[in-house]
Amino acid sequence: MAASIYNEEIYLNNDPEALKEFQKEYQERQARILSEKEKFSNVIKNYDELITKVAAFIRSLGYKSAIDNSLLVSFLIRNAYLSHDLIFTDEPQDFNKEISSHLGTSIVAGNGCCRNYSRMHKDVFDKLGIPMRELYCYSGGNAAFGARNAQANHVVSLIEHDNQFYCLDLYNNNRLYRFKNSLILSELSIFSKTSLRYKPYYEIFTGESDIYKIIEQLDIFRRCAKQKSLSGFEYEDEIKYQMINRLHKLHYDCVFDDFHEKIQPLKKEIHDEMESHFGKL
């Protein structure tokens, strides 16, 4: 089978066909974003205000590490505290009913998949001043071989913990991954051993990177793969389990319910205006 333009060995060697296709996708995305900024200006303004309030609330709880704060964002999304009516469904979304420049708005509307989770995660972390990037990956099959020609079909969050990079999958029960090499991510778990293949071409689509920046980033990930990382036990038993217990205590103390009540009018305004544009969400 011939290699596709999504194969890292093709586009990272400046293949003209691949780069032409990526540039076309980038231009189409930019045109859509420009249109959205005008059409959804009030939604975007309200969403930015909401994210500012969410970040302030998270900051008030006093958690320091990127992992703890990520688990907190995940808890708020999954338990529908960031949805307009305390109902949330984590299902694949109709791209035509999303604001592509502000994918976190779909969470407020009551539904979302990996790209919506990761974007809201990034939006909140940007307000908190915590570094975080979205990494588009391929999930499924053989990450080392079968995924070479595949397009990205999943998004995870790149965060830093104790001077090491990890990828956290908020959408799939907060699975944590480390770099096995520059492109393969291996799960840190005592229960399962899934893997992902990083597909950096997507960052050309979004305008975040070019070939040269991607190659530099891959070198950083290659070095990370040689460094010591958390074990599956350390993450799942000592970090994740303990954080979930703390969050459940806050839940029973109605801390999150009180916050929902404070931001509910703003969330409802975002939802209602989105529904007026898109129809039933």
Side-chain angles (χ1 to χ4, degrees):
M1 179 186 294
S4 78
I5 61 172
Y6 305 105
N7 187 313
E8 284 66 49
E9 294 177 5
I10 299 299
Y11 65 84
L12 290 180
N13 284 311
N14 285 300
D15 179 77
E17 180 184 349
L19 296 184
K20 181 180 178 181
E21 190 64 29
F22 296 164
Q23 183 63 24
K24 178 184 175 184
E25 177 70 23
Y26 168 74
Q27 290 172 346
E28 290 175 354
R29 285 172 178 269
Q30 292 303 112
R32 175 169 175 161
I33 288 170
L34 190 62
S35 173
E36 288 174 344
K37 285 182 177 179
E38 181 177 349
K39 185 176 182 180
F40 297 104
S41 59
N42 195 55
V43 174
I44 292 170
K45 177 182 73 67
N46 285 331
Y47 176 72
D48 184 69
E49 182 181 346
L50 174 66
I51 293 300
T52 300
K53 291 180 182 295
V54 172
F57 171 70
I58 288 175
R59 191 179 290 112
S60 73
L61 297 178
Y63 296 107
K64 301 300 182 184
S65 79
I67 291 181
D68 283 348
N69 280 290
S70 296
L71 293 173
L72 177 48
V73 172
S74 175
F75 185 90
L76 290 172
I77 295 174
R78 190 165 294 281
N79 289 278
Y81 290 113
L82 301 182
S83 172
H84 71 105
D85 59 357
L86 284 179
I87 298 173
F88 180 74
T89 305
D90 54 351
E91 295 179 347
Q93 297 306 291
D94 181 348
F95 190 65
N96 293 315
K97 288 192 173 186
E98 291 181 317
I99 303 175
S100 60
S101 61
H102 291 75
L103 290 168
T105 54
S106 293
I107 300 289
V108 184
N111 45 65
C113 61
C114 60
R115 63 180 176 268
N116 309 102
Y117 271 75
S118 63
R119 184 60 58 83
M120 180 168 270
H121 187 192
K122 180 171 174 20
D123 292 339
V124 171
F125 268 37
D126 283 350
K127 294 288 186 183
L128 289 170
I130 302 174
M132 179 250 153
R133 278 181 52 204
E134 296 171 286
L135 250 61
Y136 277 77
C137 304
Y138 179 81
S139 173
N142 188 307
F145 300 104
R148 286 184 176 182
N149 289 326
Q151 298 184 53
N153 64 358
H154 192 51
V155 197
V156 292
S157 301
L158 177 72
I159 59 173
E160 189 173 351
H161 178 82
D162 285 344
N163 299 312
Q164 172 66 297
F165 282 119
Y166 298 91
C167 284
L168 191 58
D169 187 352
L170 270 64
Y171 183 66
N172 284 309
N173 197 32
N174 303 308
R175 289 178 168 177
L176 189 71
Y177 295 82
R178 66 157 297 171
F179 285 94
K180 183 177 179 180
N181 58 42
S182 60
L183 291 169
I184 307 299
L185 295 161
S186 179
E187 185 181 5
L188 296 171
S189 174
I190 56 176
F191 302 110
S192 62
K193 291 294 180 185
T194 61
S195 60
L196 303 170
R197 185 181 181 92
Y198 172 38
K199 305 297 291 187
Y201 78 85
Y202 210 92
E203 293 162 24
I204 302 174
F205 280 12
T206 61
E208 297 172 65
S209 286
D210 57 27
I211 295 296
Y212 305 103
K213 289 180 182 177
I214 288 171
I215 291 172
E216 289 177 3
Q217 188 68 58
L218 291 176
D219 188 55
I220 293 172
F221 294 157
R222 188 178 295 108
R223 294 198 300 271
C224 287
K226 298 176 182 178
Q227 297 172 4
K228 188 177 184 298
S229 72
L230 293 168
S231 68
F233 178 83
E234 286 173 322
Y235 171 60
E236 292 181 334
D237 193 68
E238 298 178 9
I239 297 177
K240 183 178 175 182
Y241 178 76
Q242 292 183 27
M243 184 62 178
I244 289 172
N245 283 342
R246 291 194 292 267
L247 294 177
H248 279 299
K249 184 179 185 305
L250 291 172
H251 167 75
Y252 292 129
D253 290 343
C254 296
V255 172
F256 298 124
D257 290 316
D258 291 345
F259 179 60
H260 161 71
E261 290 299 322
K262 289 179 182 177
I263 61 173
Q264 199 277 333
L266 189 56
K267 292 190 294 182
K268 186 176 186 304
E269 186 172 349
I270 292 168
H271 166 267
D272 289 352
E273 188 165 349
M274 287 180 67
E275 199 160 70
S276 73
H277 284 286
F278 292 129
K280 182 70 175 173
L281 294 171

